[in-house]
Amino acid sequence: MSNGVDTQTRPRLCHIIKWPDFQGYGFNLHAEKGKAGQFIGKVDDNSPASSAGLKSGDRIVEVNDVNIGNENHQQVVQRVKAGGDQTKLLVVDEETDKYYKDEKIVVRGDLPEVIYNRTPLRPGQEEPPVLNVVEATKEETVVVEETPTPVESTNNNTISQYQPRLCHLRKWPDFEGYGFNLHAEKNKPGQYIGKVDEGSPAEMADLREHDRIIEVNNTNVEQEAHQNVIQNIRSGGDEARILVVDAKTDAYYKEKGIQVVGTLPEVLYKATPPRSLPVMTSNGTSSTITETRISESEAVPAKEIDQPTPPVHAAEPEVPTSYSSSVSDPPTPTPEAGDGRPEGMSAREYLEYLRNKKKMDPRNQKVDFKQKYELFQKM
C-alpha cells in the first residue's frame, strides 16, 4: 500500500533507453476507432520497452512529462521520437486505469505511488544524457505508427460513419508481396480491391475487398488505366499508400458532392504493423529486431494481367468483362514433375543430357570368348 493505493493498481513511469545492438524501442503504438486514448500495442520480447516494464494494452497518460490526453496518434508518435534515443512513458494498465477513474484521481507522473522502471544499459553502454523534452515538429516523417485514432469532422459528426481510409501497406520480409489483387470490370469505372489474403500486410492495413481506389502514393488514379495503377503501386518499392472508400462511403461523398482526397481531416489512417523477426546476435543468443520497413530501392515486378488493358483515352475500349492483377511478387517457376529426369536435375540439364546420350549398339561391342561362353550358359 502507498497513500491508500493498492500496489497492484499503480501507474508506471517507463523510462525506455535504446540499445546500440537493437533497432528502435521494440513496441508499437495502437489506437482503435471508437476507443479514446493511445495504447501500447505489441511489445517485443527482450526489447528496451519490455525491460522498462512496458506492457501490451497499457494506456499512455504522459510522454516525456507531457499529458497527451487531447493529442492524436500522430502527435503522440512525434513526442516519443522527440526524445531521441530515450523516452519516458507514464502508463496505466486496464485495472489501474479503472481504479483511478472510479476514485476520480487524475493520473500524473508526480504522484508518489508511481512506479519507476528504466531500461538497463548494455555492458559498455554510456549513461544517456538528461532527457530534454523537445516539441515534435509536424514536418517530421513518422514510421513507427500502427493504427492512428480517426479524426472526426467537427462540422458534421455524421461524416465519421463514412470515413475514407488511407491504407499504408508495408511488405514483410517473410511474406510475398502485399497480399491483394486489383480488380476492374467492364462498364464500371474505377479500380477496385479484389481478393485480400488473410493475415497479409494488406489485411493488416485494413484494405478490404471491393474498396474503390482513390489515390495511390498521394496521386489520384480515378481516371487511370488498370496497368497504370499497378505501376503506381509498384513505384513505392516495399510500401504503398492507398486511399480507398467502401461502397457506402463512396455513395455518401458522391451524394454530398465532396471530392475525396487524402488531406481530408476525417480520413482514417491505417498501417501495416512492423513484423518482428528473431535473429542471432554476435554472442549466439536470440534477440528480436523490429523490421519497420525494407529499404531496398528496386521494386519487385508484379504479375502481368492475362488480358490487354485498354488505353487511357480510348473512346470505346474493348475489354474483358472483368480482370484482376496480383500485386504480389511472381512465384519462382518450378520444373514439371514426372518427366523421368533424375532428382535435382533441372529441365534444361535433362534435355542436354538426352541430346548427348549415345545409344549403345550390342553388335558394335567387343566381347571376348569367356564373356560369350558365360552369356551362352545363361540362355
Side-chain angles (χ1 to χ4, degrees):
M1 301 287 289
S2 176
N3 292 348
V5 179
D6 194 311
T7 55
Q8 300 300 317
T9 54
R10 296 169 62 183
R12 283 169 286 118
L13 180 58
C14 302
H15 186 177
I16 312 172
I17 303 171
K18 291 182 180 179
W19 288 329
D21 59 345
F22 194 97
Q23 183 178 353
Y25 293 118
F27 75 95
N28 294 335
L29 290 181
H30 180 71
E32 296 180 8
K33 182 177 180 180
K35 186 177 181 180
Q38 304 295 317
F39 295 82
I40 301 300
K42 182 180 182 298
V43 179
D44 295 340
D45 294 335
N46 303 318
S47 65
S50 66
S51 299
L54 203 63
K55 302 175 184 178
S56 177
D58 283 342
R59 183 174 71 85
I60 304 175
V61 180
E62 295 180 0
V63 175
N64 298 331
D65 303 323
V66 177
N67 188 285
I68 53 90
N70 294 320
E71 296 190 354
N72 61 31
H73 185 87
Q74 194 82 347
Q75 290 170 316
V76 175
V77 171
Q78 290 169 351
R79 284 199 181 278
V80 173
K81 289 171 65 71
D85 290 332
Q86 58 179 318
T87 188
K88 292 182 179 180
L89 303 182
L90 179 65
V91 297
V92 288
D93 57 30
E94 186 176 4
E95 184 180 357
T96 302
D97 200 12
K98 183 179 184 303
Y99 172 84
Y100 277 79
K101 287 179 179 177
D102 290 344
E103 296 294 324
K104 295 181 172 51
I105 302 174
V106 178
V107 178
R108 302 189 312 272
D110 58 357
L111 292 175
E113 63 267 23
V114 170
I115 301 174
Y116 177 81
N117 293 319
R118 195 181 92 149
T119 304
L121 300 180
R122 292 292 206 205
Q125 184 178 357
E126 295 182 1
E127 185 72 26
V130 177
L131 179 61
N132 294 318
V133 178
V134 180
E135 291 293 335
T137 59
K138 293 183 178 180
E139 292 78 12
E140 186 175 11
T141 302
V142 179
V143 296
V144 301
E145 68 276 8
E146 181 180 306
T147 316
T149 303
V151 181
E152 298 185 358
S153 171
T154 55
N155 297 326
N156 189 353
N157 290 331
T158 306
I159 206 168
S160 63
Q161 302 176 21
Y162 306 104
Q163 292 180 285
R165 280 170 286 117
L166 180 57
C167 303
H168 187 175
L169 279 60
R170 298 186 182 116
K171 291 181 181 179
W172 288 328
D174 59 345
F175 193 97
E176 185 178 357
Y178 293 119
F180 77 97
N181 292 337
L182 288 183
H183 183 72
E185 294 184 5
K186 185 178 180 180
N187 300 325
K188 185 177 181 181
Q191 303 295 318
Y192 294 81
I193 301 300
K195 183 179 182 298
V196 178
D197 296 339
E198 184 177 353
S200 64
E203 184 188 53
M204 300 304 291
D206 202 23
L207 203 63
R208 307 171 191 170
E209 190 172 354
H210 306 306
D211 281 342
R212 185 170 74 87
I213 301 176
I214 306 295
E215 294 180 0
V216 173
N217 296 329
N218 304 319
T219 301
N220 188 284
V221 296
E222 293 179 274
Q223 303 301 321
E224 294 287 342
H226 185 80
Q227 193 67 19
N228 292 343
V229 177
I230 293 176
Q231 295 299 328
N232 285 342
I233 294 174
R234 289 169 54 189
S235 68
D238 290 315
E239 59 182 284
R241 296 173 182 259
I242 305 179
L243 180 65
V244 296
V245 289
D246 57 32
K248 291 183 178 180
T249 302
D250 201 11
Y252 173 83
Y253 278 82
K254 287 179 179 177
E255 181 182 351
K256 298 294 182 181
I258 303 174
Q259 174 66 38
V260 178
V261 292
T263 55
L264 289 175
E266 61 268 18
V267 169
L268 180 62
Y269 177 92
K270 294 293 185 74
T272 304
R275 178 82 93 186
S276 298
L277 295 176
V279 297
M280 297 304 295
T281 59
S282 57
N283 60 6
T285 60
S286 180
S287 182
T288 303
I289 293 181
T290 301
E291 301 288 345
T292 55
R293 65 172 68 229
I294 305 296
S295 57
E296 297 174 2
S297 59
E298 184 177 356
V300 181
K303 292 179 181 177
E304 301 294 336
I305 58 176
D306 296 332
Q307 298 85 359
T309 302
V312 181
H313 303 293
E316 296 181 356
E318 294 183 0
V319 296
T321 303
S322 64
Y323 48 93
S324 298
S325 297
S326 172
V327 189
S328 302
D329 301 329
T332 303
T334 56
E336 296 181 2
D339 55 5
R341 68 177 179 274
E343 182 178 358
M345 181 180 289
S346 67
R348 178 175 296 179
E349 292 172 339
Y350 186 55
L351 290 175
E352 189 67 23
Y353 166 77
L354 293 177
R355 291 193 190 100
N356 298 330
K357 185 178 180 182
K358 296 181 180 180
K359 295 182 179 180
M360 184 181 70
D361 188 351
R363 295 175 296 179
N364 297 327
Q365 303 303 312
K366 295 182 178 180
V367 182
D368 58 21
F369 179 81
K370 182 179 179 181
Q371 289 176 322
K372 288 180 180 179
Y373 177 79
E374 290 175 350
L375 291 173
F376 180 79
Q377 291 287 79
K378 293 178 182 179
M379 296 179 62

